Amino acid sequence: MAVDTDFVDNSAADEMAADDPPPPGAAAVLGPALDGAQALARMLATRGVERGLIGPHEVPRLWDRHLLNCAVVADLIDSRYRTLVDIGSGAGLPGLVLALMRPELSVTLLEPMERRCRFLSECVAELGLANASVLRGRAEDTVLRADVATARAVAPLDRLAEMAVRVVRPGGMVLAIKGRTAADELRKARPVLRRIGARGAEVVCAGEGKVIPATTVVRFFAR
Protein backbone atom coordinates (compact mmCIF):
# COMPACT_ATOMS: atom_id res chain seq x y z
CA MET A 1 0.00 0.00 0.00
CA ALA A 2 1.31 3.47 -0.87
CA VAL A 3 -0.01 6.98 -1.26
CA ASP A 4 2.02 8.86 -3.83
CA THR A 5 2.10 12.65 -3.82
CA ASP A 6 3.57 15.07 -6.34
CA PHE A 7 4.45 17.53 -3.60
CA VAL A 8 5.23 16.65 -0.04
CA ASP A 9 5.14 19.17 2.80
CA ASN A 10 7.96 17.95 4.99
CA SER A 11 6.83 20.20 7.84
CA ALA A 12 4.20 17.58 8.75
CA ALA A 13 6.89 15.01 9.33
CA ASP A 14 9.06 17.55 11.13
CA GLU A 15 6.23 18.42 13.51
CA MET A 16 5.59 14.79 14.30
CA ALA A 17 7.94 13.40 16.93
CA ALA A 18 9.06 10.19 15.28
CA ASP A 19 10.00 8.78 18.67
CA ASP A 20 6.57 9.32 20.21
CA PRO A 21 5.56 6.21 22.14
CA PRO A 22 3.01 3.87 20.54
CA PRO A 23 -0.61 4.14 21.71
CA PRO A 24 -1.97 2.15 24.65
CA GLY A 25 -2.66 -1.42 23.65
CA ALA A 26 0.01 -1.56 20.95
CA ALA A 27 2.25 -3.79 23.04
CA ALA A 28 -0.57 -6.29 23.52
CA VAL A 29 -1.19 -6.43 19.77
CA LEU A 30 2.41 -6.48 18.60
CA GLY A 31 4.14 -8.43 21.35
CA PRO A 32 7.81 -9.04 20.49
CA ALA A 33 7.34 -7.11 17.23
CA LEU A 34 6.79 -3.80 19.07
CA ASP A 35 10.37 -2.54 18.77
CA GLY A 36 10.46 -3.32 15.07
CA ALA A 37 7.11 -1.60 14.56
CA GLN A 38 8.43 1.53 16.29
CA ALA A 39 11.43 1.55 13.96
CA LEU A 40 9.14 1.11 10.96
CA ALA A 41 6.94 3.96 12.20
CA ARG A 42 9.99 6.24 12.24
CA MET A 43 10.92 5.22 8.69
CA LEU A 44 7.40 5.84 7.41
CA ALA A 45 7.08 9.19 9.20
CA THR A 46 10.34 10.47 7.76
CA ARG A 47 11.63 8.79 4.60
CA GLY A 48 8.21 7.44 3.70
CA VAL A 49 6.74 10.94 3.67
CA GLU A 50 9.77 12.54 2.02
CA ARG A 51 9.59 10.06 -0.86
CA GLY A 52 5.85 10.30 -1.26
CA LEU A 53 5.05 6.75 -0.21
CA ILE A 54 2.68 7.89 2.50
CA GLY A 55 0.80 11.16 2.71
CA PRO A 56 1.93 13.65 5.36
CA HIS A 57 -1.58 13.80 6.80
CA GLU A 58 -1.35 10.08 7.56
CA VAL A 59 1.58 10.56 9.94
CA PRO A 60 -0.45 11.37 13.09
CA ARG A 61 -2.49 8.21 12.58
CA LEU A 62 0.28 5.85 11.54
CA TRP A 63 -0.28 3.57 14.52
CA ASP A 64 -4.06 3.30 14.64
CA ARG A 65 -4.90 3.49 10.94
CA HIS A 66 -1.92 1.66 9.51
CA LEU A 67 0.43 -0.34 11.75
CA LEU A 68 -2.07 -1.84 14.17
CA ASN A 69 -4.67 -2.16 11.43
CA CYS A 70 -2.21 -4.38 9.56
CA ALA A 71 -0.79 -6.21 12.58
CA VAL A 72 -4.08 -7.86 13.55
CA VAL A 73 -4.32 -9.48 10.11
CA ALA A 74 -1.75 -11.93 11.47
CA ASP A 75 -4.62 -13.42 13.50
CA LEU A 76 -6.08 -14.77 10.24
CA ILE A 77 -2.90 -16.62 9.24
CA ASP A 78 -2.50 -19.88 11.11
CA SER A 79 0.65 -21.95 11.50
CA ARG A 80 0.07 -24.20 8.49
CA TYR A 81 0.92 -21.31 6.16
CA ARG A 82 4.62 -20.81 5.49
CA THR A 83 4.87 -18.35 2.57
CA LEU A 84 3.16 -15.02 1.92
CA VAL A 85 3.21 -12.52 -0.92
CA ASP A 86 2.13 -8.91 -0.34
CA ILE A 87 0.74 -7.61 -3.65
CA GLY A 88 1.56 -3.98 -4.47
CA SER A 89 3.42 -3.65 -1.20
CA GLY A 90 4.19 0.06 -1.63
CA ALA A 91 5.14 1.36 1.81
CA GLY A 92 5.14 -2.18 3.22
CA LEU A 93 1.61 -2.24 4.57
CA PRO A 94 0.75 -4.92 5.49
CA GLY A 95 3.77 -6.91 4.28
CA LEU A 96 6.50 -5.46 6.51
CA VAL A 97 4.23 -5.52 9.55
CA LEU A 98 3.32 -9.17 8.98
CA ALA A 99 6.99 -10.06 8.50
CA LEU A 100 7.68 -8.48 11.89
CA MET A 101 4.74 -10.25 13.51
CA ARG A 102 5.38 -13.69 12.03
CA PRO A 103 9.11 -14.40 11.71
CA GLU A 104 8.38 -18.01 10.69
CA LEU A 105 6.65 -16.77 7.52
CA SER A 106 8.66 -16.19 4.36
CA VAL A 107 7.29 -12.87 3.07
CA THR A 108 7.72 -11.55 -0.48
CA LEU A 109 7.05 -7.83 -0.94
CA LEU A 110 5.85 -7.62 -4.54
CA GLU A 111 6.00 -4.09 -5.93
CA PRO A 112 6.30 -2.83 -9.53
CA MET A 113 7.77 0.64 -8.88
CA GLU A 114 11.54 0.93 -8.48
CA ARG A 115 11.54 3.79 -5.96
CA ARG A 116 9.12 1.94 -3.71
CA CYS A 117 11.28 -1.18 -3.99
CA ARG A 118 14.29 0.83 -2.85
CA PHE A 119 12.39 1.99 0.23
CA LEU A 120 11.19 -1.53 1.00
CA SER A 121 14.72 -2.94 0.62
CA GLU A 122 16.05 -0.32 3.06
CA CYS A 123 13.34 -1.23 5.57
CA VAL A 124 14.02 -4.96 5.26
CA ALA A 125 17.75 -4.39 5.82
CA GLU A 126 17.42 -1.93 8.70
CA LEU A 127 14.76 -3.97 10.47
CA GLY A 128 16.88 -7.10 10.10
CA LEU A 129 14.04 -9.06 8.49
CA ALA A 130 15.72 -12.27 7.37
CA ASN A 131 12.28 -13.65 6.46
CA ALA A 132 11.39 -10.87 3.99
CA SER A 133 12.52 -10.12 0.45
CA VAL A 134 11.59 -7.53 -2.17
CA LEU A 135 10.60 -8.53 -5.69
CA ARG A 136 10.03 -5.90 -8.36
CA GLY A 137 7.15 -6.89 -10.59
CA ARG A 138 3.41 -7.13 -11.08
CA ALA A 139 1.23 -9.98 -9.93
CA GLU A 140 0.02 -10.48 -13.49
CA ASP A 141 3.58 -11.16 -14.71
CA THR A 142 5.11 -12.95 -11.73
CA VAL A 143 5.59 -16.67 -11.24
CA LEU A 144 4.88 -17.15 -7.54
CA ARG A 145 2.94 -19.81 -5.66
CA ALA A 146 2.62 -18.57 -2.07
CA ASP A 147 0.36 -20.01 0.59
CA VAL A 148 -1.15 -16.58 1.32
CA ALA A 149 -1.57 -13.35 -0.64
CA THR A 150 -2.32 -10.04 1.05
CA ALA A 151 -3.21 -6.66 -0.40
CA ARG A 152 -4.20 -3.26 0.93
CA ALA A 153 -5.38 -0.28 -1.14
CA VAL A 154 -4.26 -1.91 -4.38
CA ALA A 155 -7.34 -2.36 -6.59
CA PRO A 156 -11.08 -3.04 -6.46
CA LEU A 157 -11.77 -6.61 -5.40
CA ASP A 158 -12.87 -7.86 -8.81
CA ARG A 159 -9.52 -6.83 -10.32
CA LEU A 160 -7.52 -7.80 -7.26
CA ALA A 161 -8.99 -11.30 -7.17
CA GLU A 162 -7.68 -12.07 -10.65
CA MET A 163 -4.23 -10.78 -9.68
CA ALA A 164 -4.15 -12.68 -6.42
CA VAL A 165 -5.01 -16.12 -7.77
CA ARG A 166 -1.96 -15.88 -10.02
CA VAL A 167 0.43 -15.70 -7.06
CA VAL A 168 -1.03 -18.28 -4.65
CA ARG A 169 -0.89 -22.05 -4.83
CA PRO A 170 -4.07 -24.07 -5.45
CA GLY A 171 -6.14 -23.73 -2.30
CA GLY A 172 -4.09 -20.74 -1.16
CA MET A 173 -5.68 -17.97 0.89
CA VAL A 174 -6.21 -14.37 -0.19
CA LEU A 175 -6.67 -11.60 2.38
CA ALA A 176 -7.76 -8.24 0.98
CA ILE A 177 -7.93 -5.44 3.55
CA LYS A 178 -10.93 -3.41 2.47
CA GLY A 179 -12.49 -1.45 5.33
CA ARG A 180 -15.98 -0.03 4.90
CA THR A 181 -16.22 -1.00 1.23
CA ALA A 182 -15.71 -4.72 1.88
CA ALA A 183 -19.29 -5.98 1.64
CA ASP A 184 -20.09 -3.89 -1.42
CA GLU A 185 -16.89 -4.89 -3.20
CA LEU A 186 -17.51 -8.54 -2.44
CA ARG A 187 -21.02 -8.31 -3.87
CA LYS A 188 -19.73 -6.72 -7.08
CA ALA A 189 -16.88 -9.22 -7.37
CA ARG A 190 -19.05 -12.35 -7.06
CA PRO A 191 -19.19 -12.99 -10.83
CA VAL A 192 -15.40 -12.77 -11.11
CA LEU A 193 -14.88 -14.97 -8.05
CA ARG A 194 -17.18 -17.61 -9.55
CA ARG A 195 -15.38 -17.46 -12.89
CA ILE A 196 -11.94 -17.98 -11.36
CA GLY A 197 -13.20 -20.76 -9.09
CA ALA A 198 -12.61 -18.94 -5.80
CA ARG A 199 -14.32 -20.50 -2.81
CA GLY A 200 -15.34 -19.47 0.68
CA ALA A 201 -15.42 -15.75 -0.09
CA GLU A 202 -16.55 -13.78 2.95
CA VAL A 203 -16.03 -10.60 4.93
CA VAL A 204 -14.20 -11.23 8.20
CA CYS A 205 -12.99 -9.00 11.01
CA ALA A 206 -9.48 -9.21 12.47
CA GLY A 207 -8.50 -7.87 15.86
CA GLU A 208 -11.91 -7.57 17.46
CA GLY A 209 -11.32 -6.59 21.08
CA LYS A 210 -7.74 -5.56 20.24
CA VAL A 211 -8.16 -2.56 17.93
CA ILE A 212 -11.00 -0.13 17.32
CA PRO A 213 -12.33 -0.47 14.74
CA ALA A 214 -11.46 -4.05 13.93
CA THR A 215 -9.80 -4.57 10.55
CA THR A 216 -12.26 -5.59 7.83
CA VAL A 217 -10.92 -8.14 5.37
CA VAL A 218 -12.31 -10.02 2.40
CA ARG A 219 -11.02 -13.59 2.59
CA PHE A 220 -11.27 -16.26 -0.08
CA PHE A 221 -9.42 -19.33 -1.25
CA ALA A 222 -8.05 -20.12 -4.68
CA ARG A 223 -9.40 -23.04 -6.70
Side-chain angles (χ1 to χ4, degrees), residues 88-132:
S89 197
L93 301 168
L96 286 171
V97 180
L98 293 174
L100 286 165
M101 293 285 295
R102 298 291 293 275
E104 78 282 5
L105 272 178
S106 177
V107 176
T108 299
L109 306 170
L110 181 62
E111 169 54 50
M113 292 186 64
E114 182 180 358
R115 65 187 178 84
R116 297 180 187 173
C117 287
R118 286 198 299 269
F119 175 80
L120 291 170
S121 295
E122 290 172 14
C123 291
V124 167
E126 293 178 34
L127 293 169
L129 289 172
N131 63 324

Side-chain angles (χ1 to χ4, degrees), residues 135-154:
L135 177 62
R136 186 180 178 192
R138 304 190 313 158
E140 301 92 320
D141 306 322
T142 304
V143 180
L144 287 172
R145 285 296 179 266
D147 295 330
V148 181
T150 57
R152 185 176 190 255
V154 172

